[in-house]
Amino acid sequence: MDKPIRKTYKCISISLTQESYDKALAYCRKTPYQTLSAYGRKLLTQEPITVYYRNKSFDEFTESYILFKNSMEIILVRGNFNDYEKQRLLADIVDIKEIINKIYDHVRENKSLF
């Protein structure tokens, strides 16, 4: 019976202080790699690394926008606006949605590090 062919791997051991290890682990958690080893291999071989970026102020803005949008929709239903004012407010909400989507796409596209 033929033995399966095994790939040979070389092992590299690196000693780090606790502070350096914590820092490396924090960077690793911002990537899609589930282990520090996978992240380290990408760094050592200089392959592109995708980094997830969360912008707290953008998150807060998005949350505020959603509350604002919901409030505006309630005002439109309950308010004493004429048809022109209602259409204008609806158009403004659509414009705001488009701007939010553009900002989101821009942030998502420009936050990958290579």
Side-chain angles (χ1 to χ4, degrees), residues 31-54:
T31 69
Y33 310 109
Q34 296 185 6
T35 64
L36 194 54
S37 294
Y39 175 66
R41 276 191 290 278
K42 290 285 188 176
L43 285 175
L44 289 170
T45 58
Q46 296 182 343
E47 293 180 36
I49 295 174
T50 302
V51 176
Y52 297 135
Y53 179 79
R54 296 292 298 180

PDB file of all heavy atoms in Angstrom, residues 31-54:
ATOM      1  N   THR A  31      -8.535  41.489  11.177  1.00  0.00           N
ATOM      2  CA  THR A  31      -8.420  40.853   9.873  1.00  0.00           C
ATOM      3  C   THR A  31      -9.361  39.648   9.799  1.00  0.00           C
ATOM      4  O   THR A  31      -9.884  39.207  10.816  1.00  0.00           O
ATOM      5  CB  THR A  31      -6.972  40.370   9.624  1.00  0.00           C
ATOM      6  OG1 THR A  31      -6.693  39.283  10.506  1.00  0.00           O
ATOM      7  CG2 THR A  31      -5.968  41.484   9.823  1.00  0.00           C
ATOM      8  N   PRO A  32      -9.535  39.091   8.613  1.00  0.00           N
ATOM      9  CA  PRO A  32     -10.380  37.902   8.498  1.00  0.00           C
ATOM     10  C   PRO A  32      -9.688  36.617   8.934  1.00  0.00           C
ATOM     11  O   PRO A  32     -10.318  35.556   8.967  1.00  0.00           O
ATOM     12  CB  PRO A  32     -10.733  37.853   7.005  1.00  0.00           C
ATOM     13  CG  PRO A  32      -9.657  38.594   6.321  1.00  0.00           C
ATOM     14  CD  PRO A  32      -9.169  39.632   7.292  1.00  0.00           C
ATOM     15  N   TYR A  33      -8.413  36.668   9.290  1.00  0.00           N
ATOM     16  CA  TYR A  33      -7.665  35.463   9.657  1.00  0.00           C
ATOM     17  C   TYR A  33      -8.006  35.061  11.084  1.00  0.00           C
ATOM     18  O   TYR A  33      -8.025  35.869  11.992  1.00  0.00           O
ATOM     19  CB  TYR A  33      -6.161  35.692   9.485  1.00  0.00           C
ATOM     20  CG  TYR A  33      -5.854  36.268   8.132  1.00  0.00           C
ATOM     21  CD1 TYR A  33      -5.450  37.580   7.993  1.00  0.00           C
ATOM     22  CD2 TYR A  33      -6.047  35.509   6.980  1.00  0.00           C
ATOM     23  CE1 TYR A  33      -5.224  38.123   6.749  1.00  0.00           C
ATOM     24  CE2 TYR A  33      -5.819  36.048   5.727  1.00  0.00           C
ATOM     25  CZ  TYR A  33      -5.408  37.352   5.622  1.00  0.00           C
ATOM     26  OH  TYR A  33      -5.200  37.894   4.391  1.00  0.00           O
ATOM     27  N   GLN A  34      -8.286  33.781  11.275  1.00  0.00           N
ATOM     28  CA  GLN A  34      -8.764  33.320  12.575  1.00  0.00           C
ATOM     29  C   GLN A  34      -7.641  32.998  13.552  1.00  0.00           C
ATOM     30  O   GLN A  34      -7.862  32.890  14.742  1.00  0.00           O
ATOM     31  CB  GLN A  34      -9.662  32.109  12.389  1.00  0.00           C
ATOM     32  CG  GLN A  34     -10.919  32.474  11.614  1.00  0.00           C
ATOM     33  CD  GLN A  34     -11.885  31.310  11.524  1.00  0.00           C
ATOM     34  OE1 GLN A  34     -11.680  30.271  12.117  1.00  0.00           O
ATOM     35  NE2 GLN A  34     -12.952  31.510  10.776  1.00  0.00           N
ATOM     36  N   THR A  35      -6.434  32.823  13.053  1.00  0.00           N
ATOM     37  CA  THR A  35      -5.316  32.508  13.944  1.00  0.00           C
ATOM     38  C   THR A  35      -4.186  33.505  13.738  1.00  0.00           C
ATOM     39  O   THR A  35      -4.030  34.086  12.656  1.00  0.00           O
ATOM     40  CB  THR A  35      -4.778  31.090  13.691  1.00  0.00           C
ATOM     41  OG1 THR A  35      -4.232  31.026  12.368  1.00  0.00           O
ATOM     42  CG2 THR A  35      -5.867  30.041  13.865  1.00  0.00           C
ATOM     43  N   LEU A  36      -3.392  33.643  14.774  1.00  0.00           N
ATOM     44  CA  LEU A  36      -2.225  34.511  14.683  1.00  0.00           C
ATOM     45  C   LEU A  36      -1.212  33.934  13.699  1.00  0.00           C
ATOM     46  O   LEU A  36      -0.516  34.665  13.002  1.00  0.00           O
ATOM     47  CB  LEU A  36      -1.610  34.684  16.076  1.00  0.00           C
ATOM     48  CG  LEU A  36      -0.600  35.789  16.270  1.00  0.00           C
ATOM     49  CD1 LEU A  36      -1.153  37.136  15.827  1.00  0.00           C
ATOM     50  CD2 LEU A  36      -0.160  35.863  17.714  1.00  0.00           C
ATOM     51  N   SER A  37      -1.178  32.611  13.599  1.00  0.00           N
ATOM     52  CA  SER A  37      -0.266  31.959  12.650  1.00  0.00           C
ATOM     53  C   SER A  37      -0.605  32.319  11.206  1.00  0.00           C
ATOM     54  O   SER A  37       0.276  32.638  10.399  1.00  0.00           O
ATOM     55  CB  SER A  37      -0.314  30.444  12.807  1.00  0.00           C
ATOM     56  OG  SER A  37       0.187  30.064  14.058  1.00  0.00           O
ATOM     57  N   ALA A  38      -1.890  32.255  10.856  1.00  0.00           N
ATOM     58  CA  ALA A  38      -2.309  32.597   9.493  1.00  0.00           C
ATOM     59  C   ALA A  38      -1.993  34.056   9.185  1.00  0.00           C
ATOM     60  O   ALA A  38      -1.504  34.381   8.098  1.00  0.00           O
ATOM     61  CB  ALA A  38      -3.799  32.323   9.324  1.00  0.00           C
ATOM     62  N   TYR A  39      -2.255  34.925  10.147  1.00  0.00           N
ATOM     63  CA  TYR A  39      -1.950  36.341   9.985  1.00  0.00           C
ATOM     64  C   TYR A  39      -0.444  36.553   9.821  1.00  0.00           C
ATOM     65  O   TYR A  39       0.011  37.276   8.940  1.00  0.00           O
ATOM     66  CB  TYR A  39      -2.488  37.117  11.189  1.00  0.00           C
ATOM     67  CG  TYR A  39      -2.149  38.588  11.208  1.00  0.00           C
ATOM     68  CD1 TYR A  39      -2.654  39.455  10.249  1.00  0.00           C
ATOM     69  CD2 TYR A  39      -1.333  39.115  12.202  1.00  0.00           C
ATOM     70  CE1 TYR A  39      -2.357  40.802  10.280  1.00  0.00           C
ATOM     71  CE2 TYR A  39      -1.035  40.466  12.243  1.00  0.00           C
ATOM     72  CZ  TYR A  39      -1.547  41.302  11.278  1.00  0.00           C
ATOM     73  OH  TYR A  39      -1.245  42.638  11.305  1.00  0.00           O
ATOM     74  N   GLY A  40       0.346  35.881  10.662  1.00  0.00           N
ATOM     75  CA  GLY A  40       1.806  35.989  10.585  1.00  0.00           C
ATOM     76  C   GLY A  40       2.364  35.490   9.262  1.00  0.00           C
ATOM     77  O   GLY A  40       3.286  36.081   8.709  1.00  0.00           O
ATOM     78  N   ARG A  41       1.804  34.390   8.736  1.00  0.00           N
ATOM     79  CA  ARG A  41       2.261  33.878   7.438  1.00  0.00           C
ATOM     80  C   ARG A  41       2.051  34.921   6.348  1.00  0.00           C
ATOM     81  O   ARG A  41       2.924  35.124   5.493  1.00  0.00           O
ATOM     82  CB  ARG A  41       1.518  32.595   7.075  1.00  0.00           C
ATOM     83  CG  ARG A  41       2.106  31.354   7.689  1.00  0.00           C
ATOM     84  CD  ARG A  41       1.499  30.089   7.093  1.00  0.00           C
ATOM     85  NE  ARG A  41       0.104  29.903   7.499  1.00  0.00           N
ATOM     86  CZ  ARG A  41      -0.285  29.377   8.651  1.00  0.00           C
ATOM     87  NH1 ARG A  41       0.612  28.990   9.530  1.00  0.00           N
ATOM     88  NH2 ARG A  41      -1.556  29.237   8.930  1.00  0.00           N
ATOM     89  N   LYS A  42       0.909  35.575   6.371  1.00  0.00           N
ATOM     90  CA  LYS A  42       0.637  36.605   5.363  1.00  0.00           C
ATOM     91  C   LYS A  42       1.631  37.766   5.484  1.00  0.00           C
ATOM     92  O   LYS A  42       2.119  38.278   4.487  1.00  0.00           O
ATOM     93  CB  LYS A  42      -0.795  37.143   5.511  1.00  0.00           C
ATOM     94  CG  LYS A  42      -1.853  36.161   5.122  1.00  0.00           C
ATOM     95  CD  LYS A  42      -1.925  36.020   3.635  1.00  0.00           C
ATOM     96  CE  LYS A  42      -3.111  35.176   3.243  1.00  0.00           C
ATOM     97  NZ  LYS A  42      -3.271  35.092   1.805  1.00  0.00           N
ATOM     98  N   LEU A  43       1.926  38.153   6.725  1.00  0.00           N
ATOM     99  CA  LEU A  43       2.889  39.236   6.925  1.00  0.00           C
ATOM    100  C   LEU A  43       4.285  38.849   6.446  1.00  0.00           C
ATOM    101  O   LEU A  43       4.952  39.618   5.764  1.00  0.00           O
ATOM    102  CB  LEU A  43       2.955  39.618   8.408  1.00  0.00           C
ATOM    103  CG  LEU A  43       1.809  40.434   8.972  1.00  0.00           C
ATOM    104  CD1 LEU A  43       1.975  40.603  10.470  1.00  0.00           C
ATOM    105  CD2 LEU A  43       1.720  41.786   8.299  1.00  0.00           C
ATOM    106  N   LEU A  44       4.708  37.641   6.828  1.00  0.00           N
ATOM    107  CA  LEU A  44       6.066  37.209   6.480  1.00  0.00           C
ATOM    108  C   LEU A  44       6.265  37.006   4.986  1.00  0.00           C
ATOM    109  O   LEU A  44       7.351  37.227   4.465  1.00  0.00           O
ATOM    110  CB  LEU A  44       6.415  35.928   7.233  1.00  0.00           C
ATOM    111  CG  LEU A  44       6.635  36.101   8.737  1.00  0.00           C
ATOM    112  CD1 LEU A  44       6.739  34.743   9.415  1.00  0.00           C
ATOM    113  CD2 LEU A  44       7.876  36.926   9.002  1.00  0.00           C
ATOM    114  N   THR A  45       5.221  36.577   4.296  1.00  0.00           N
ATOM    115  CA  THR A  45       5.337  36.355   2.851  1.00  0.00           C
ATOM    116  C   THR A  45       4.955  37.595   2.046  1.00  0.00           C
ATOM    117  O   THR A  45       4.949  37.557   0.819  1.00  0.00           O
ATOM    118  CB  THR A  45       4.464  35.174   2.414  1.00  0.00           C
ATOM    119  OG1 THR A  45       3.103  35.430   2.775  1.00  0.00           O
ATOM    120  CG2 THR A  45       4.935  33.877   3.042  1.00  0.00           C
ATOM    121  N   GLN A  46       4.652  38.676   2.737  1.00  0.00           N
ATOM    122  CA  GLN A  46       4.294  39.965   2.135  1.00  0.00           C
ATOM    123  C   GLN A  46       3.111  39.858   1.177  1.00  0.00           C
ATOM    124  O   GLN A  46       3.039  40.531   0.160  1.00  0.00           O
ATOM    125  CB  GLN A  46       5.502  40.585   1.427  1.00  0.00           C
ATOM    126  CG  GLN A  46       6.617  40.932   2.376  1.00  0.00           C
ATOM    127  CD  GLN A  46       7.790  41.580   1.682  1.00  0.00           C
ATOM    128  OE1 GLN A  46       7.935  41.517   0.473  1.00  0.00           O
ATOM    129  NE2 GLN A  46       8.629  42.227   2.463  1.00  0.00           N
ATOM    130  N   GLU A  47       2.168  38.982   1.514  1.00  0.00           N
ATOM    131  CA  GLU A  47       0.938  38.881   0.737  1.00  0.00           C
ATOM    132  C   GLU A  47      -0.020  39.971   1.205  1.00  0.00           C
ATOM    133  O   GLU A  47       0.078  40.453   2.331  1.00  0.00           O
ATOM    134  CB  GLU A  47       0.312  37.500   0.934  1.00  0.00           C
ATOM    135  CG  GLU A  47       1.149  36.374   0.352  1.00  0.00           C
ATOM    136  CD  GLU A  47       0.502  35.017   0.560  1.00  0.00           C
ATOM    137  OE1 GLU A  47      -0.732  34.932   0.488  1.00  0.00           O
ATOM    138  OE2 GLU A  47       1.237  34.058   0.801  1.00  0.00           O
ATOM    139  N   PRO A  48      -0.955  40.363   0.347  1.00  0.00           N
ATOM    140  CA  PRO A  48      -1.917  41.397   0.756  1.00  0.00           C
ATOM    141  C   PRO A  48      -2.742  40.955   1.965  1.00  0.00           C
ATOM    142  O   PRO A  48      -3.138  39.803   2.069  1.00  0.00           O
ATOM    143  CB  PRO A  48      -2.831  41.547  -0.463  1.00  0.00           C
ATOM    144  CG  PRO A  48      -2.079  40.960  -1.602  1.00  0.00           C
ATOM    145  CD  PRO A  48      -1.157  39.934  -1.025  1.00  0.00           C
ATOM    146  N   ILE A  49      -2.972  41.890   2.856  1.00  0.00           N
ATOM    147  CA  ILE A  49      -3.741  41.615   4.064  1.00  0.00           C
ATOM    148  C   ILE A  49      -4.941  42.558   4.082  1.00  0.00           C
ATOM    149  O   ILE A  49      -4.797  43.768   3.915  1.00  0.00           O
ATOM    150  CB  ILE A  49      -2.892  41.847   5.331  1.00  0.00           C
ATOM    151  CG1 ILE A  49      -1.753  40.853   5.367  1.00  0.00           C
ATOM    152  CG2 ILE A  49      -3.738  41.745   6.583  1.00  0.00           C
ATOM    153  CD1 ILE A  49      -0.783  41.087   6.492  1.00  0.00           C
ATOM    154  N   THR A  50      -6.110  41.988   4.276  1.00  0.00           N
ATOM    155  CA  THR A  50      -7.321  42.787   4.394  1.00  0.00           C
ATOM    156  C   THR A  50      -7.537  43.110   5.857  1.00  0.00           C
ATOM    157  O   THR A  50      -7.493  42.229   6.703  1.00  0.00           O
ATOM    158  CB  THR A  50      -8.541  42.006   3.858  1.00  0.00           C
ATOM    159  OG1 THR A  50      -8.293  41.664   2.501  1.00  0.00           O
ATOM    160  CG2 THR A  50      -9.794  42.834   3.954  1.00  0.00           C
ATOM    161  N   VAL A  51      -7.742  44.381   6.137  1.00  0.00           N
ATOM    162  CA  VAL A  51      -7.969  44.811   7.509  1.00  0.00           C
ATOM    163  C   VAL A  51      -9.373  45.395   7.586  1.00  0.00           C
ATOM    164  O   VAL A  51      -9.743  46.247   6.782  1.00  0.00           O
ATOM    165  CB  VAL A  51      -6.942  45.879   7.944  1.00  0.00           C
ATOM    166  CG1 VAL A  51      -7.233  46.385   9.334  1.00  0.00           C
ATOM    167  CG2 VAL A  51      -5.538  45.312   7.862  1.00  0.00           C
ATOM    168  N   TYR A  52     -10.162  44.914   8.547  1.00  0.00           N
ATOM    169  CA  TYR A  52     -11.484  45.470   8.774  1.00  0.00           C
ATOM    170  C   TYR A  52     -11.324  46.745   9.568  1.00  0.00           C
ATOM    171  O   TYR A  52     -10.586  46.807  10.528  1.00  0.00           O
ATOM    172  CB  TYR A  52     -12.365  44.497   9.548  1.00  0.00           C
ATOM    173  CG  TYR A  52     -12.638  43.216   8.818  1.00  0.00           C
ATOM    174  CD1 TYR A  52     -12.547  42.008   9.470  1.00  0.00           C
ATOM    175  CD2 TYR A  52     -12.991  43.208   7.478  1.00  0.00           C
ATOM    176  CE1 TYR A  52     -12.805  40.825   8.814  1.00  0.00           C
ATOM    177  CE2 TYR A  52     -13.247  42.035   6.816  1.00  0.00           C
ATOM    178  CZ  TYR A  52     -13.172  40.849   7.486  1.00  0.00           C
ATOM    179  OH  TYR A  52     -13.419  39.680   6.839  1.00  0.00           O
ATOM    180  N   TYR A  53     -12.047  47.757   9.156  1.00  0.00           N
ATOM    181  CA  TYR A  53     -11.932  49.060   9.788  1.00  0.00           C
ATOM    182  C   TYR A  53     -13.310  49.509  10.241  1.00  0.00           C
ATOM    183  O   TYR A  53     -14.246  49.553   9.457  1.00  0.00           O
ATOM    184  CB  TYR A  53     -11.346  50.074   8.801  1.00  0.00           C
ATOM    185  CG  TYR A  53     -11.211  51.450   9.355  1.00  0.00           C
ATOM    186  CD1 TYR A  53     -10.159  51.786  10.184  1.00  0.00           C
ATOM    187  CD2 TYR A  53     -12.151  52.424   9.063  1.00  0.00           C
ATOM    188  CE1 TYR A  53     -10.033  53.067  10.702  1.00  0.00           C
ATOM    189  CE2 TYR A  53     -12.030  53.702   9.567  1.00  0.00           C
ATOM    190  CZ  TYR A  53     -10.971  54.006  10.391  1.00  0.00           C
ATOM    191  OH  TYR A  53     -10.857  55.274  10.897  1.00  0.00           O
ATOM    192  N   ARG A  54     -13.458  49.820  11.481  1.00  0.00           N
ATOM    193  CA  ARG A  54     -14.714  50.326  12.007  1.00  0.00           C
ATOM    194  C   ARG A  54     -14.507  51.780  12.405  1.00  0.00           C
ATOM    195  O   ARG A  54     -13.586  52.112  13.138  1.00  0.00           O
ATOM    196  CB  ARG A  54     -15.161  49.528  13.224  1.00  0.00           C
ATOM    197  CG  ARG A  54     -15.473  48.102  12.932  1.00  0.00           C
ATOM    198  CD  ARG A  54     -16.685  47.943  12.086  1.00  0.00           C
ATOM    199  NE  ARG A  54     -17.845  48.484  12.775  1.00  0.00           N
ATOM    200  CZ  ARG A  54     -19.054  48.477  12.278  1.00  0.00           C
ATOM    201  NH1 ARG A  54     -19.280  47.979  11.106  1.00  0.00           N
ATOM    202  NH2 ARG A  54     -20.055  48.977  12.951  1.00  0.00           N
TER     203      ARG A  54
END
